[in-house]
Amino acid sequence: NAAKAEPGGDVLWVGRIFRVRRTFTAEDVATFARLSGDANPIHSHSDAAAAAGLGLCGPVVHGMLAASLFSGIIGTRFPARPQRCSPSPHELPCVRLQASHSLLY
């Protein structure tokens, strides 16, 4: 069931597990909230998280911030392949790092 590995790369197959340990700080969450525009108070205030019925003892890390760890796994375990940016409406656009950039979805 294993896929063919690229030279210098790892092998990926369905069910493969990669583990990453990362402690997110309040500063990480605040930075992500500022960059993403998600200012939901469950991410910054314990009372709001408790009132939302999350049963936790503090603010909740944004799901997309936690999911960003996948990028690190893929980016460090598998060799980079050039990707073509597509204007197709079925694909997300490539966003290149610039001084400023606007995206409309």
Side-chain angles (χ1 to χ4, degrees):
N1 284 358
K4 183 178 178 184
E6 295 289 328
D10 213 326
V11 177
L12 180 65
W13 63 84
V14 174
R16 176 82 190 267
I17 296 173
F18 293 93
R19 297 188 194 283
V20 174
R21 183 174 297 233
R22 169 75 157 88
T23 300
F24 291 106
T25 65
E27 182 180 353
D28 294 332
V29 173
T31 298
F32 186 84
R34 182 177 54 79
L35 292 172
S36 68
D38 182 351
N40 187 322
I42 67 169
H43 302 300
S44 56
H45 301 301
S46 297
D47 293 345
L54 298 174
L56 301 171
C57 57
V60 180
V61 172
H62 297 81
M64 293 305 292
L65 176 56
S68 72
L69 296 177
F70 296 128
S71 179
I73 292 171
I74 299 300
T76 59
R77 295 289 189 123
F78 301 94
R81 294 186 189 150
Q83 297 294 318
R84 181 179 67 80
C85 291
S86 172
S88 166
H90 305 292
E91 298 177 25
L92 290 176
C94 291
V95 178
R96 301 185 194 290
L97 184 58
Q98 298 177 5
S100 65
H101 194 87
S102 297
L103 284 178
L104 298 175
Y105 288 100

